[in-house]
Amino acid sequence: MGETRNYSEENVLLVGCKLTDADEERFSYSMQELAELTKTAGGKVVNTIVQNRHSFDRATYIGKGKLDEMIPLIDEEEIDVVIFNDELSSSQVRNLSAKVTARIIDRTQLILDIFSKRAKSREGKLQVELAQLNYLLPRLAGQGHALSRLGGGIGTRGPGETQLETDRRHIRRRMDEIKEQLKAIVKHRALYRERRKENRTLQIALVGYTNAGKSTIHNRLTVADALEENLLFATLDPLTRRIKLPSGFQALLTDTVGFIQDLPTTLVAAFRSTLEEVCEADFLLHVVDASSNDYYNHEETVMELLGQLNVKDVPMLTVYNKKDKMTNHFVPTDGKNSMLISALQEEDLKKLIARIEEEIKSTLSYFSVKIPANNGKLLSRCQSGAIIEEQKWIEDEECYALKVYVSPTSSLFKQLQQYKV
């Protein structure tokens, strides 16, 4: 093996093919996003090639003319990696690799690579590996040369570094092992969720397009230490922290992995258990980057993926973030169930947390109770497990009169029934 090369920043050539029936603006944003993904993976975009075609070339994705134009460019600009904006077939990878010296990867492989770099928990790492093996299995025939290169670089992390002799049987065996391990983790997570349901802690989940600012909002509201970076997929592993609303009511706030257009199906499947936190939520905060020109498509992508996860009828507030950077063209898609904030402004966060409490109230049951002074334990439970609108001490009855909002499915709701007035 030769000397180890530093792959901290590789020269990258981006290649996109716009089909005649594709929307021009959407394609343009897709290429911009590919450049952002490349930056996140540690690459430096040196040049971009775009071709307009009626359909992708079955052999090489782009046509012969564009390919002939690309080959000298790779040598001239010392390109290390060529990244294609669509998923390539094994034959396309094989044919392209035979003609160019640079490493060939596609959009899916790039996203998998970022996930491999970002995953921190055992579950996250296993899910990434499963997704990578799912991607790799049908492409073994086309990736022989690439798999023989050990070391590093964009698109070669994790299972992508396996030796040439890796065969389908070995991969399938490893996939079965991972699935078994994930089953155990999912079972443990389900038991933990059941315990939370018994205690009936209200669940709030942050969802949204990648890099919309979910982790920043999560950190500011819960004083957590999740990674905050202006990079795509900065958060992969779900992080849950307790959040205290203005009334003293406590809920759980979960940060989730960012969504993205054309998310590989292997990743949606592999990360289903991570996204189960979204499926179990009582309330969703949909964070949208108001500074992005493509914010509307970002919203659409998130809603489509929530549909795929069968997340329906869950109350949701849309939070348009980064108002300090938004463009003049920005218009909220949903003016009624939304608010515009900057997660970096304390005043906006206070307004957000107050709005969350108001929205949650509408999902709870409201009634009045009188709790005897000697039942301090129940009073304490109300202060943390219910939204108290009013609390008075009644001297002659030696009790506390409360007007509260409580979840009808909680054990606290049943306890308060006997004190209802």
Side-chain angles (χ1 to χ4, degrees):
M1 221 158 63
E3 61 179 355
T4 305
R5 178 182 163 183
N6 181 6
Y7 283 91
S8 59
E9 190 173 73
E10 297 177 286
N11 288 340
V12 176
L13 172 66
L14 302 183
V15 180
C17 188
K18 184 196 168 294
L19 302 182
T20 47
D21 59 349
D23 179 71
E24 180 77 50
E25 195 174 35
R26 191 178 173 93
F27 174 76
S28 174
Y29 287 134
S30 174
M31 290 300 293
Q32 285 175 32
E33 192 170 79
L34 189 67
E36 284 296 314
L37 287 165
T38 302
K39 177 189 167 189
T40 300
K44 177 187 174 187
V45 178
V46 174
N47 212 325
T48 302
I49 287 178
V50 171
Q51 184 176 34
N52 295 304
R53 285 178 65 89
H54 289 289
S55 62
F56 300 130
D57 188 285
R58 291 179 65 184
T60 53
Y61 177 77
I62 52 173
K64 186 178 181 300
K66 274 290 177 198
L67 185 58
D68 289 342
E69 180 187 316
M70 185 178 87
I71 291 167
L73 193 67
I74 288 169
D75 291 330
E76 284 168 25
E77 303 198 340
E78 298 181 344
I79 300 296
D80 301 296
V81 192
V82 182
I83 303 178
F84 290 79
N85 196 34
D86 294 276
E87 196 166 297
L88 300 174
S89 67
S90 57
S91 60
Q92 285 172 332
V93 173
R94 186 169 59 248
N95 294 336
L96 287 163
S97 297
K99 292 179 181 291
V100 301
T101 52
R103 197 160 61 256
I104 303 292
I105 68 169
D106 60 24
R107 186 188 184 90
T108 300
Q109 204 172 347
L110 178 63
I111 292 171
L112 287 170
D113 183 78
I114 294 166
F115 273 46
S116 179
K117 192 167 72 167
R118 294 279 170 188
K120 295 289 183 286
S121 72
R122 179 167 169 263
E123 181 188 18
K125 288 174 181 175
L126 285 171
Q127 286 173 325
V128 170
E129 188 178 351
L130 182 62
Q132 286 180 310
L133 292 172
N134 256 318
Y135 171 85
L136 185 62
L137 193 59
R139 290 171 174 79
L140 281 177
Q143 299 222 357
H145 180 57
L147 292 179
S148 66
R149 298 185 201 173
L150 299 173
I154 299 170
T156 66
R157 297 179 181 97
E161 298 173 6
T162 324
Q163 295 96 318
L164 179 60
E165 56 268 20
T166 300
D167 58 14
R168 286 182 175 85
R169 191 168 62 247
H170 169 77
I171 288 179
R172 288 198 180 103
R173 194 185 305 125
R174 177 61 187 150
M175 286 169 74
D176 289 340
E177 286 171 9
I178 292 171
K179 284 174 186 173
E180 285 304 310
Q181 290 178 54
L182 283 173
K183 271 184 197 172
I185 292 170
V186 170
K187 190 177 177 183
H188 175 77
R189 193 197 286 277
L191 288 170
Y192 178 60
R193 269 203 305 269
E194 282 304 311
R195 279 204 302 274
R196 288 199 311 218
K197 274 185 181 175
E198 283 171 23
N199 299 326
R200 203 44 220 168
T201 310
L202 190 125
Q203 316 260 342
I204 304 169
L206 285 158
V207 297
Y209 207 78
T210 182
N211 204 31
K214 296 185 299 300
S215 294
T216 305
I217 290 173
H218 187 271
N219 289 352
R220 299 295 191 274
L221 295 183
T222 65
V223 197
D225 54 359
L227 180 67
E228 281 180 37
E229 278 193 66
N230 187 26
L231 291 172
L232 302 186
F233 300 121
T235 302
L236 281 186
D237 300 306
L239 179 67
T240 301
R241 290 281 185 273
R242 202 165 284 279
I243 178 175
K244 196 172 183 179
L245 301 183
S247 63
F249 177 76
Q250 293 188 8
L252 292 176
L253 183 65
T254 300
D255 191 10
T256 61
V257 61
F259 295 14
I260 194 166
Q261 285 172 22
D262 308 317
L263 187 70
T265 51
T266 51
L267 274 183
V268 175
F271 278 78
R272 190 167 289 277
S273 59
T274 300
L275 293 169
E276 276 175 11
E277 294 287 342
V278 176
C279 303
E280 296 290 329
D282 300 291
F283 189 77
L284 296 179
L285 282 180
H286 177 191
V287 184
V288 181
D289 180 359
S291 71
S292 170
N293 290 321
D294 201 26
Y295 72 92
Y296 180 76
N297 280 328
H298 291 182
E299 282 186 72
E300 290 286 296
T301 299
V302 172
M303 297 312 293
E304 281 172 23
L305 284 166
L306 287 175
Q308 284 179 35
L309 291 165
N310 291 318
V311 178
K312 293 169 186 172
D313 307 319
V314 180
M316 182 169 74
L317 173 67
T318 303
V319 181
Y320 292 104
N321 188 30
K322 307 184 187 180
K323 73 174 187 184
D324 48 325
K325 296 179 182 176
M326 71 181 185
T327 65
N328 297 327
H329 310 294
F330 175 77
V331 178
T333 310
D334 185 348
K336 188 182 174 186
N337 295 314
S338 67
M339 64 184 299
L340 186 62
I341 71 158
S342 166
L344 303 177
Q345 293 179 14
E346 197 65 38
E347 198 57 40
D348 282 1
L349 291 174
K350 285 179 185 173
K351 287 177 186 172
L352 173 60
I353 207 159
R355 177 70 182 270
I356 291 169
E357 182 164 279
E358 284 305 310
E359 294 289 335
I360 287 172
K361 274 184 187 179
S362 65
T363 70
L364 305 176
S365 294
Y366 173 77
F367 56 88
S368 300
V369 292
K370 284 183 179 178
I371 300 174
N374 61 3
N375 199 341
K377 190 176 178 182
L378 182 58
L379 185 64
S380 177
R381 274 209 71 192
C382 284
Q383 285 165 346
S384 62
I387 295 177
I388 301 174
E389 190 174 71
E390 190 180 289
Q391 180 176 320
K392 286 181 186 172
W393 167 249
I394 303 175
E395 186 73 43
D396 55 347
E397 294 181 46
E398 291 194 350
C399 70
Y400 289 94
L402 274 69
K403 290 182 179 177
V404 295
Y405 290 88
V406 187
S407 170
T409 58
S410 70
S411 57
L412 177 61
F413 181 86
K414 292 168 190 169
Q415 283 180 278
L416 290 174
Q417 288 296 325
Q418 58 184 304
Y419 300 107
K420 198 172 177 181
V421 293

